[in-house]
Amino acid sequence: MRPQIILRYLGLILLFNAFFLLISTLVSAATGGGAFFSLLFSTVVSVLFGLFPLVFVPPSDDITNREGLYIVVCCWLLSCLAGALPFVLWGGEFTFTNAWFESVSGYTTTGASILTSVEALPPGLLFWRAATHWMGGVGIIIFVLAILPAMGGAYLVLYRNEMSTLAQESLQYRTRKTLKILLYVYIGLTFMETLLLIAEGMGPLDAVAHAFATIATGGFSTKNTSIAYYSSPVIEITVIAFMFLSAVNFGLLFQCVTGHPGDLLKSPVFRYYTASLVIGVILVAVNLHGSIYPGWIDAWRHAAFQVIAQGTSTGFASADSAVWPPFAQLVIIFLMIQGGCAGSTSGGMKADRLILFWKVVRRRMVKLRHPKAVVVIRAGQSVVDDDVAETVLTFILLYLLVLFVSTLAITLFGVDLLTAFSGTTAAMGGVGPGFGTVGSMANYGHMPGAVKWILTLDMLVGRLEIFGLILFFTITRWK
């Protein structure tokens, strides 16, 4: 392995972060608020450390798979570290642990915050906080690969290590075209939502920050009470629509707007994802009517928003779902674990894996009844290889194992079971708010420091889809 080559690619990633730090600095200069020097210093540090390996290490277009994995994992860790710097320098509620938590939560698009008062942050830091979502939403490496010219074999190695196999198979395009489609859809959705939110009365900075957080399915708001601050059904409907779209396979959305809308409806994953959210909204609304909201309008309104916000792993809030009945909370927790579709910015296990899981279960049941039967598993028109089915089952088991172990570890620090389980679920799934003391109107600031480090590890495990982080920590055993 060549450390200098890894450093060169990490330098590129730092410069990419520095670009958004510079924009945040300019926002701070234009709006005031006191974070200018924190952001400027962070920009200078990122530029210097980013340029250093680019100047002294000659370029190399060929990298090994091991180097590619190192670059991808280190890029996430380094970005999170760089992202924490302006928070630490600004101070306030940001100790190093809190700044690391906020930064990891931003890049992994989790949206969980330690802040008791988001509105106390100056505009420049609010923009930077939202920018970490937007950089991490589509994947930092994917973003950089999409805007840089082709880099030979390194291009494909980094793409394969950054994007999960499931997402690669669901997009079904050549690598370069996939990257362009992801970027077009990502930027297009962000641009449209920003314009709509401004037209609906939101300030430009708030509109950009909320659009960044929505399309990345992140959830950082510029207001203490999230979307509930605006008390606007029109804004809520707009945010619901874009949260829903952001958790749909971007390849299908691209097909839809380029003259093939039928492909979207033919997709079994899209139909299952949509049906699960609709059923979730109905179940929660019926459960809330009478017990929390006396009228049907409020029951439907807040059920729709919270189910889609947490079911798509965005995590915005229009109401305090922590006080909702256990039935409604369990429905939402299931959707938090499930997440959206592969090939989107959503977190969780992904609806695609659950569909394959049920097909594997059904095949096993048929084989028990008819031992000599040959049962083929299909995903749409494609036959699913047994290796893929095995990978899906392994992923689900590992996901649940990490969920259980993390919950167990957190309860050791005196955290109640509902808070520990839902907080871990929210961290792994990139959702943000859980239930108990980390509900949609609360924060993670009161958690012990060790719990915050466990949760940030869960966020990274969820964002790198488990296998990437396991391979990284066992890389010395590769043969």
Side-chain angles (χ1 to χ4, degrees):
M1 196 150 57
R2 298 164 297 173
Q4 70 277 15
I5 297 298
I6 295 172
L7 286 175
R8 180 179 170 81
Y9 281 94
L10 293 181
L12 281 173
I13 298 301
L14 268 182
L15 289 179
F16 178 68
N17 280 280
F19 174 72
F20 281 91
L21 276 167
L22 178 61
I23 296 175
S24 305
T25 306
L26 295 176
V27 170
S28 183
T31 57
F36 176 77
F37 289 106
S38 304
L39 290 162
L40 180 63
F41 182 78
S42 304
T43 305
V44 172
V45 169
S46 298
V47 168
L48 289 177
F49 279 91
L51 281 178
F52 187 76
L54 294 181
V55 171
F56 293 101
V57 180
S60 173
D61 290 342
D62 293 318
I63 59 174
T64 65
N65 195 39
R66 185 182 297 197
E67 289 168 344
L69 178 64
Y70 243 101
I71 291 168
V72 168
V73 176
C74 289
C75 121
W76 281 97
L77 297 176
L78 186 63
S79 293
C80 292
L81 196 60
L85 185 58
F87 295 139
V88 172
L89 293 174
W90 186 74
E93 296 184 68
F94 290 117
T95 60
F96 178 73
T97 295
N98 285 349
W100 172 256
F101 185 95
E102 201 78 3
S103 181
V104 175
S105 180
Y107 280 101
T108 58
T109 72
T110 305
S113 179
I114 55 86
L115 293 169
T116 53
S117 177
V118 173
E119 293 169 32
L121 290 186
L125 272 187
L126 286 174
F127 181 85
W128 170 242
R129 197 164 160 262
T132 58
H133 268 344
W134 206 61
M135 284 186 280
V138 78
I140 303 170
I141 292 283
I142 295 296
F143 221 138
V144 173
L145 289 177
I147 58 179
L148 286 179
M151 296 184 294
Y155 203 83
L156 197 55
V157 173
L158 291 175
Y159 172 80
R160 285 176 175 166
N161 278 286
E162 168 73 336
M163 187 168 279
S164 70
T165 307
L166 190 67
Q168 291 174 40
E169 290 178 353
S170 67
L171 287 164
Q172 295 183 339
Y173 293 104
R174 295 171 68 96
T175 306
R176 191 71 188 172
K177 187 171 182 181
T178 297
L179 293 174
K180 284 184 178 177
I181 287 173
L182 288 174
L183 205 59
Y184 291 158
V185 174
Y186 197 57
I187 294 174
L189 287 174
T190 306
F191 188 66
M192 283 192 291
E193 189 187 357
T194 301
L195 290 181
L196 280 172
L197 291 177
I198 291 174
E200 291 162 1
M202 202 179 274
L205 181 61
D206 289 340
V208 171
H210 283 100
F212 278 6
T214 308
I215 308 306
T217 59
F220 277 161
S221 175
T222 56
K223 304 299 180 187
N224 291 335
T225 51
S226 191
I227 298 299
Y229 169 88
Y230 298 97
S231 189
S232 166
V234 177
I235 288 178
E236 289 170 21
I237 290 170
T238 299
V239 174
I240 284 175
F242 281 94
M243 288 191 295
F244 175 81
L245 290 174
S246 301
V248 175
N249 183 306
F250 280 13
L252 288 175
L253 291 181
F254 183 78
Q255 290 280 73
C256 193
V257 297
T258 53
H260 302 89
D263 291 355
L264 191 64
L265 297 176
K266 288 177 185 173
S267 166
V269 177
F270 175 76
R271 293 201 302 267
Y272 167 75
Y273 157 72
T274 305
S276 64
L277 288 181
V278 170
I279 292 170
V281 170
I282 293 171
L283 292 175
V284 172
V286 170
N287 189 230
L288 294 182
H289 180 247
S291 59
I292 300 294
Y293 302 109
W296 278 107
I297 293 178
D298 282 341
W300 283 109
R301 174 184 173 184
H302 295 300
F305 193 93
Q306 287 305 135
V307 166
I308 294 176
Q310 293 180 258
T312 59
S313 81
T314 310
F316 282 137
S318 70
D320 187 5
S321 56
V323 299
W324 287 5
F327 177 81
Q329 293 183 355
L330 283 172
V331 170
I332 293 175
I333 286 175
F334 169 78
L335 294 171
M336 286 164 62
I337 294 173
Q338 172 184 283
C341 307
S344 71
T345 60
S346 182
M349 285 184 182
K350 302 286 191 304
D352 311 54
R353 287 194 178 92
L354 290 191
I355 291 175
L356 281 176
F357 170 75
W358 287 115
K359 288 184 175 180
V360 170
V361 171
R362 189 175 61 184
R363 180 174 71 171
R364 176 50 51 193
M365 298 302 292
V366 172
K367 295 279 283 181
L368 287 174
R369 291 198 301 268
H370 308 286
K372 294 183 180 179
V374 177
V375 184
V376 176
I377 298 176
R378 292 184 180 278
Q381 299 301 318
S382 306
V383 175
V384 176
D385 190 80
D386 281 348
D387 284 345
V388 175
E390 183 186 334
T391 304
V392 167
L393 291 179
T394 308
F395 178 90
I396 291 174
L397 286 174
L398 280 174
Y399 195 98
L400 295 176
L401 180 64
V402 174
L403 191 58
F404 174 76
V405 172
S406 295
T407 302
L408 191 67
I410 290 173
T411 54
L412 275 177
F413 294 90
V415 179
D416 68 90
L417 182 58
L418 176 61
T419 301
F421 178 68
S422 64
T424 305
T425 304
M428 283 193 69
V431 180
F435 296 101
T437 63
V438 292
S440 52
M441 291 295 172
N443 61 75
Y444 289 74
H446 61 286
M447 288 287 193
V451 171
K452 290 173 185 169
W453 283 95
I454 293 171
L455 290 173
T456 54
L457 183 60
D458 288 332
M459 293 175 199
L460 289 167
V461 167
R463 186 62 184 80
L464 293 169
E465 300 218 326
I466 301 177
F467 292 122
L469 215 55
I470 292 176
L471 286 172
F472 176 75
F473 285 117
T474 59
I475 204 163
T476 56
R477 299 178 185 175
W478 288 23
K479 293 181 179 178

